[in-house]
Protein backbone atom coordinates (compact mmCIF):
# COMPACT_ATOMS: atom_id res chain seq x y z
CA UNK A 1 0.00 0.00 0.00
CA UNK A 2 1.25 3.46 -0.83
CA UNK A 3 2.52 5.57 2.03
CA UNK A 4 0.32 8.54 1.12
CA UNK A 5 -2.83 6.39 1.14
CA UNK A 6 -1.93 5.12 4.61
CA UNK A 7 -1.18 8.62 5.94
CA UNK A 8 -4.45 10.02 4.58
CA UNK A 9 -6.57 7.18 5.98
CA UNK A 10 -4.78 6.53 9.25
CA UNK A 11 -6.88 8.87 11.39
CA UNK A 12 -10.12 7.48 9.98
CA UNK A 13 -8.87 3.92 10.52
CA UNK A 14 -8.03 4.63 14.15
CA UNK A 15 -11.40 6.32 14.75
CA UNK A 16 -13.15 3.23 13.41
CA UNK A 17 -11.86 1.19 16.37
CA UNK A 18 -13.39 3.51 19.00
CA UNK A 19 -16.71 1.74 19.70
CA UNK A 20 -19.48 1.33 17.15
CA UNK A 21 -20.05 5.10 17.17
CA UNK A 22 -16.46 5.60 15.99
CA UNK A 23 -17.05 3.00 13.29
CA UNK A 24 -20.13 4.90 12.11
CA UNK A 25 -18.24 8.21 12.13
CA UNK A 26 -15.31 6.66 10.23
CA UNK A 27 -17.72 5.16 7.70
CA UNK A 28 -19.29 8.58 7.08
CA UNK A 29 -15.87 10.25 6.91
CA UNK A 30 -14.66 7.69 4.39
CA UNK A 31 -17.72 7.98 2.14
CA UNK A 32 -16.47 11.18 0.54
CA UNK A 33 -12.76 10.31 0.21
CA UNK A 34 -12.89 6.53 -0.32
CA UNK A 35 -9.51 5.74 1.20
CA UNK A 36 -8.68 2.03 0.79
CA UNK A 37 -6.65 1.83 4.01
CA UNK A 38 -9.46 3.32 6.08
CA UNK A 39 -12.03 1.11 4.34
CA UNK A 40 -9.98 -1.98 5.22
CA UNK A 41 -10.06 -1.15 8.94
CA UNK A 42 -13.71 -0.08 8.85
CA UNK A 43 -14.59 -3.51 7.41
CA UNK A 44 -12.59 -5.21 10.16
CA UNK A 45 -14.36 -3.24 12.89
CA UNK A 46 -17.84 -3.71 11.42
CA UNK A 47 -17.22 -7.46 11.54
CA UNK A 48 -15.96 -7.32 15.13
CA UNK A 49 -18.97 -5.21 16.14
CA UNK A 50 -21.41 -7.67 14.60
CA UNK A 51 -19.68 -10.58 16.32
CA UNK A 52 -19.83 -8.64 19.57
CA UNK A 53 -23.59 -8.16 19.19
CA UNK A 54 -24.02 -11.87 18.45
CA UNK A 55 -21.93 -12.64 21.51
CA UNK A 56 -24.05 -10.43 23.73
CA UNK A 57 -27.47 -11.46 22.50
CA UNK A 58 -27.11 -15.05 21.31
CA UNK A 59 -24.16 -16.64 23.09
CA UNK A 60 -24.84 -14.85 26.37
CA UNK A 61 -28.49 -15.81 26.31
CA UNK A 62 -28.23 -19.43 25.24
CA UNK A 63 -24.80 -20.59 26.40
CA UNK A 64 -24.40 -18.49 29.52
CA UNK A 65 -22.22 -15.80 30.99
CA UNK A 66 -19.04 -17.87 31.04
CA UNK A 67 -19.17 -18.69 27.35
CA UNK A 68 -20.05 -15.11 26.51
CA UNK A 69 -17.17 -13.87 28.66
CA UNK A 70 -14.68 -16.17 26.97
CA UNK A 71 -15.83 -15.06 23.52
CA UNK A 72 -15.76 -11.45 24.71
CA UNK A 73 -12.13 -11.78 25.76
CA UNK A 74 -11.26 -13.33 22.38
CA UNK A 75 -13.04 -10.47 20.59
CA UNK A 76 -11.14 -7.95 22.71
CA UNK A 77 -7.83 -9.55 21.70
CA UNK A 78 -8.87 -9.38 18.04
CA UNK A 79 -9.84 -5.73 18.53
CA UNK A 80 -6.39 -4.96 19.98
CA UNK A 81 -4.69 -6.64 17.01
CA UNK A 82 -6.72 -4.58 14.55
CA UNK A 83 -6.24 -1.35 16.50
CA UNK A 84 -2.48 -1.81 16.67
CA UNK A 85 -2.44 -2.50 12.93
CA UNK A 86 -4.28 0.78 12.29
CA UNK A 87 -1.88 2.72 14.52
CA UNK A 88 1.15 1.18 12.80
CA UNK A 89 -0.27 1.85 9.34
CA UNK A 90 -0.58 -1.81 8.40
CA UNK A 91 -3.41 -3.73 6.79
CA UNK A 92 -3.26 -6.44 9.42
CA UNK A 93 -6.27 -8.76 9.24
CA UNK A 94 -7.60 -10.01 12.53
CA UNK A 95 -6.81 -13.73 12.91
CA UNK A 96 -9.37 -16.36 11.92
CA UNK A 97 -12.12 -14.02 10.68
CA UNK A 98 -10.34 -11.09 9.01
CA UNK A 99 -10.64 -12.62 5.54
CA UNK A 100 -14.36 -13.16 6.10
CA UNK A 101 -14.86 -9.53 7.09
CA UNK A 102 -13.04 -8.31 4.00
CA UNK A 103 -15.19 -10.55 1.81
CA UNK A 104 -18.54 -9.89 3.52
CA UNK A 105 -18.17 -6.10 3.53
CA UNK A 106 -16.26 -5.58 0.28
CA UNK A 107 -18.82 -2.97 -0.82
CA UNK A 108 -17.56 -0.54 1.81
Amino acid sequence: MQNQTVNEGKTTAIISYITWIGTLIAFIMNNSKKNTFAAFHIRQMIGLSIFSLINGFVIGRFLGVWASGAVGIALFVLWIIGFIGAIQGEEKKVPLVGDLFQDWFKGI
Side-chain angles (χ1 to χ4, degrees):
M1 173 147 303
Q2 295 179 2
N3 196 22
Q4 181 158 345
T5 304
V6 171
N7 288 336
E8 289 174 358
K10 195 171 188 179
T11 302
T12 306
I14 291 170
I15 289 172
S16 73
Y17 284 96
I18 303 173
T19 72
W20 65 270
I21 296 170
T23 306
L24 181 62
I25 291 169
F27 178 77
I28 293 168
M29 287 172 60
N30 197 46
N31 262 348
S32 61
K33 294 181 182 177
K34 296 290 185 191
N35 183 286
T36 56
F37 178 74
F40 172 87
H41 285 285
I42 291 169
R43 287 190 293 268
Q44 294 290 294
M45 191 55 196
I46 287 173
L48 288 175
S49 295
I50 290 172
F51 275 22
S52 181
L53 286 172
I54 292 170
N55 181 42
F57 291 113
V58 177
I59 295 174
R61 182 177 187 122
F62 296 108
L63 297 179
V65 174
W66 289 103
S68 180
V71 172
I73 290 170
L75 287 171
F76 181 68
V77 170
L78 295 178
W79 176 85
I80 289 173
I81 291 168
F83 186 61
I84 289 172
I87 290 172
Q88 293 177 342
E90 300 173 353
E91 283 191 353
K92 186 182 290 187
K93 294 178 185 172
V94 293
L96 304 174
V97 291
D99 288 325
L100 292 173
F101 297 159
Q102 293 303 313
D103 186 44
W104 291 347
F105 309 114
K106 60 186 164 200
I108 294 175

